[in-house]
């Protein structure tokens, strides 16, 4: 989206429709300082035009990298609002999903928060910091299509991002209840919106299948089928905190009660 807007601005300059086009390309004998000032103003306007629209650079643009879409960055952006919604339940958190090391590292910087992670995919190319978390046992590499290596209610809060988008309903029937099993206070799911770009062909060998971006209606129906109820109190607190900061998640966020 941003690239297309920038190119549009460049076309304005090339065709002379941009307010400062003439000044930029004129051969008049303007003082050097004036010419430089006009160039600076033009650049500022172009950048401002590229970032305009919603009035801010949204998280979904940050999350899109060379055609990929990831909710992992969105989890990191949402941490302050999750803390408002869950309060003391944020003291022992498990994150499950690709690039979990980045989420765990950020959570560990929060006061009175312990964090662990489950990386569903190979981390052979991961950074040294991530491999260090694995060596310490803070992050585990595990196939989430099988039972998690934790006891029931091991964590106060379980946060999942991206991982479920790559599972078929056959495996979701096993994985979703398993995620709820290890949570004592809540389960938060970050899932992509329908229409978001899927993983590149080069990454299909890693994920096993293209991501399936499902609608909120589909997810809610699935939650009912697996006897999971939405956490109305957490939803309200999260939305109130997000509204105060004009935060709009670039992913679908579902707040669920664990099994009791």
């Amino acid at each position: 989206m941003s690239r297309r807007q920038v190119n549009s601005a460049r076309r304005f300059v090339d065709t002379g429709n941009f307010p400062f086009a003439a000044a930029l390309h004129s051969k008049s004998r303007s003082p050097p300082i004036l010419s430089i000032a006009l160039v600076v103003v033009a650049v500022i306007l172009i950048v401002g035009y590229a970032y305009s629209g919603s009035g801010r650079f949204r998280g979904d643009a940050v999350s899109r990298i060379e055609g990929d879409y990831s909710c992992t960055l969105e989890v990191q952006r949402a941490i302050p609002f999750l803390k408002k919604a869950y309060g003391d339940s944020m003291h022992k958190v498990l994150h499950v999903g690709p690039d979990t090391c980045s989420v765990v590292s950020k959570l560990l910087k929060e006061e009175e928060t312990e964090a662990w992670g489950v990386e569903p995919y190979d981390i052979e190319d991961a950074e040294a910091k991530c491999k260090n978390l694995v060596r310490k046992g803070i992050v585990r590499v595990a196939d989430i299509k099988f039972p998690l290596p934790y006891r029931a209610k091991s964590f106060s809060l379980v946060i999942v991002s991206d991982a479920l988008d790559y599972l078929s309903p056959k495996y979701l029937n096993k994985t979703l209840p398993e995620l709820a099993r290890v949570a004592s206070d809540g389960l938060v799911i970050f899932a992509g919106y329908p229409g978001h770009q899927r993983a590149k062909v080069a990454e299909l060998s890693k994920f096993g299948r293209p991501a399936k971006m499902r609608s909120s209606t589909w997810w809610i129906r699935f939650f009912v089928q697996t006897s999971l109820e939405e956490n109305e109190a957490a939803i309200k607190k999260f939305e109130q905190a997000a509204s105060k900061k004009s935060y709009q998640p670039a992913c679908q966020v579902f707040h669920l009660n664990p099994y009791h």
Side-chain angles (χ1 to χ4, degrees):
M1 182 183 297
S2 299
R3 291 179 180 174
R4 194 172 300 134
Q5 291 171 327
V6 172
N7 289 338
S8 299
R10 288 174 179 170
R11 286 198 295 272
F12 289 152
V13 173
D14 294 339
T15 57
N17 292 329
F18 194 84
F20 292 94
L24 291 173
H25 295 287
S26 67
K27 298 182 180 179
S28 61
R29 298 177 181 178
S30 303
I33 295 179
L34 178 60
S35 299
I36 294 173
L38 289 173
V39 170
V40 171
V41 172
V43 170
I44 292 173
L45 288 174
I46 292 173
V47 172
Y49 180 83
Y51 280 74
S52 65
S54 63
R56 55 195 174 90
F57 194 52
R58 291 201 44 195
D60 53 346
V62 177
S63 300
R64 293 177 186 271
I65 303 173
E66 297 182 358
D68 290 334
Y69 187 86
S70 170
C71 287
T72 297
L73 289 177
E74 199 61 36
V75 172
Q76 297 179 54
R77 294 179 66 225
I79 288 176
F81 311 106
L82 290 172
K83 291 186 72 174
K84 292 288 186 181
Y86 290 94
D88 293 339
S89 295
M90 285 286 289
H91 74 274
K92 196 172 185 180
V93 182
L94 174 69
H95 174 261
V96 179
D99 197 22
T100 189
C101 289
S102 63
V103 177
V104 171
S105 296
K106 189 171 182 64
L107 285 169
L108 289 174
K109 294 177 182 178
E110 299 290 326
E111 292 184 8
E112 301 180 358
T113 299
E114 297 178 71
W116 289 264
V118 172
E119 170 61 63
Y121 309 107
D122 183 40
I123 61 166
E124 189 175 320
D125 298 329
E127 297 179 355
K129 290 182 179 180
C130 183
K131 292 183 178 179
N132 188 42
L133 290 174
V134 174
R135 281 193 295 270
K136 291 180 178 180
I138 296 174
V139 170
R140 294 190 181 189
V141 179
D143 191 337
I144 61 174
K145 294 193 293 291
F146 299 95
L148 296 172
Y150 303 107
R151 295 179 180 179
K153 303 187 185 301
S154 292
F155 307 95
S156 53
L157 187 68
V158 175
I159 303 172
V160 190
S161 61
D162 294 320
L164 301 183
D165 291 332
Y166 290 93
L167 295 181
S168 64
K170 172 185 175 182
Y171 289 112
L172 277 174
N173 279 319
K174 300 177 180 179
T175 301
L176 197 55
E178 184 66 10
L179 293 167
R181 179 186 69 83
V182 300
S184 63
D185 296 338
L187 170 62
V188 185
I189 296 173
F190 285 73
Y193 281 106
H196 280 170
Q197 298 186 29
R198 300 178 179 182
K200 295 181 293 186
V201 175
E203 291 194 343
L204 291 183
S205 59
K206 175 180 179 180
F207 297 121
R209 56 177 282 133
K212 179 69 173 179
M213 305 305 184
R214 303 171 173 102
S215 67
S216 60
T217 303
W218 188 96
W219 279 112
I220 292 172
R221 189 187 311 122
F222 192 81
F223 298 149
V224 172
Q225 292 174 2
T226 51
S227 301
L228 285 169
E229 299 177 352
E230 290 192 272
N231 188 333
E232 299 294 343
I235 292 173
K236 184 177 180 179
K237 291 179 181 179
F238 182 85
E239 291 179 348
Q240 288 177 343
S243 178
K244 289 180 180 180
K245 297 293 184 180
S246 299
Y247 167 69
Q248 297 180 6
C251 298
Q252 299 182 87
V253 184
F254 301 100
H255 303 264
L256 305 174
N257 288 313
Y259 290 131
H260 294 293

